[in-house]
Amino acid sequence: MSDSTFYIVETVIKSLLIVAVLASLAGLATYAERKVLAAMQRRVGPSMVGPAGILQIVADMIKLFTKEDIVPQHANKFIFLIAPLIAAVGAFASLAPVPFLPEFELFGHTVRPILADINVGLLYFLGVASVCVYSPLLAGLASYNKYSLIAAARAVMSLVSFEIISGISLLSVIMMVGSLSLIDINNYQSEGWLVFKQPLAFLLFWMATFVECNRTPFSLTENETELVAGFGTEYSGMRWGMFFIGEYTSMLASSIVIVLIFLGGFNPLWIIPGALALILKASVIFFFFLWTRAAWPHLRADQLMGFCYKVLLPLALANVLVTGFVLI
């Protein structure tokens, strides 16, 4: 097999694997979240369908695929129908420059578990992931529902604001590494994790990630105590499910990216191989997404925006300034 043919086949296979594996993990993540919340809040959780309720995922899939797909009478039908696609497509597309494992040999060829090793991978990830803001925005605007409209407005307010925090928090990392490539950032940490050199940037980026993934306590787009079901109030069936496929895929992607940027990436951890170390560290980060939902209440919109612009933004700017002085 020629190198060009192998490259084409390899790219197609990697694309299919990313979609298949991440979509499957997103379904499994819903089960994991319900189990974690049940254990922390002394509830039963999934337990009836299959051993330990593991087949509840299959039951939920059957339910979503067979439920009626309802479109409100006065909704903008075209926009209403494409809004869920933006959430899922944006989440999967953001994974293109993310290296999932170290490179390895296969049939005499070097396989790199990354779809596109571009030198601006970090910028690409942030840019494409931010496109997902259009999903709740368009869903809320097109639904002809006042609760969905409120959630759409709050989505823009919170997501755009915290995109600023995530971007500025990573400036200090880029200044130290001198590259926007996630591969270069990973390799930079072969001698030490960036979380120890940039602990404030780590905390700021992690908090911004909670907003971008619509997670408690920083979620305003879907707060059941205030907005029924937020921007997805009028959705049903698989279109409703696609919002959550996008959300959980974003959580998984963000967990991996946080590990790559701050927690040593896929560099070996003591006697633990790099691939396994990446999976373990990303699992811990993902667990914290679930833990905070069980332990913390929602913030009000004014509290969240005040926290963003009065606390996090000055800290992010100060961190960049201090990093610049240290490097000089």
Side-chain angles (χ1 to χ4, degrees), residues 301-320:
D302 61 308
Q303 292 174 326
L304 183 59
M305 290 298 98
F307 184 57
C308 175
Y309 287 109
K310 295 178 181 179
V311 179
L312 299 186
L313 183 57
L315 286 175
L317 293 172
N319 190 53
V320 172

Side-chain angles (χ1 to χ4, degrees), residues 11 61 77 88 98 120-121 142 171 210 283 308 311 321 328:
T11 303
M61 289 177 59
K77 185 175 182 180
V98 176
V120 290
L171 277 179
F210 272 86
S283 299
C308 175
V311 179
L321 184 63
I328 291 174

Side-chain angles (χ1 to χ4, degrees), residues 99-118:
F100 293 96
L101 300 170
E103 61 183 35
F104 56 91
E105 294 287 332
L106 183 65
F107 303 125
H109 295 271
T110 300
V111 178
R112 307 183 67 197
I114 181 174
L115 192 59
D117 183 13
I118 54 179

Side-chain angles (χ1 to χ4, degrees), residues 222-288:
E222 186 193 357
N223 188 343
E224 295 90 341
T225 58
E226 300 175 7
L227 297 169
V228 187
F231 62 87
T233 301
E234 297 292 348
Y235 283 87
S236 61
M238 198 56 207
R239 296 193 188 279
W240 181 86
M242 290 183 69
F243 284 119
F244 286 88
I245 291 175
E247 178 180 322
Y248 282 93
T249 301
S250 295
M251 290 168 58
L252 293 167
S254 297
S255 300
I256 295 171
V257 169
I258 288 173
V259 171
L260 289 170
I261 297 175
F262 294 104
L263 301 179
F266 50 73
N267 292 299
L269 180 63
W270 297 307
I271 61 173
I272 304 175
L276 181 58
L278 174 65
I279 294 172
L280 292 175
K281 288 180 286 189
S283 299
V284 172
I285 296 295
F286 184 81
F287 173 75
F288 271 91

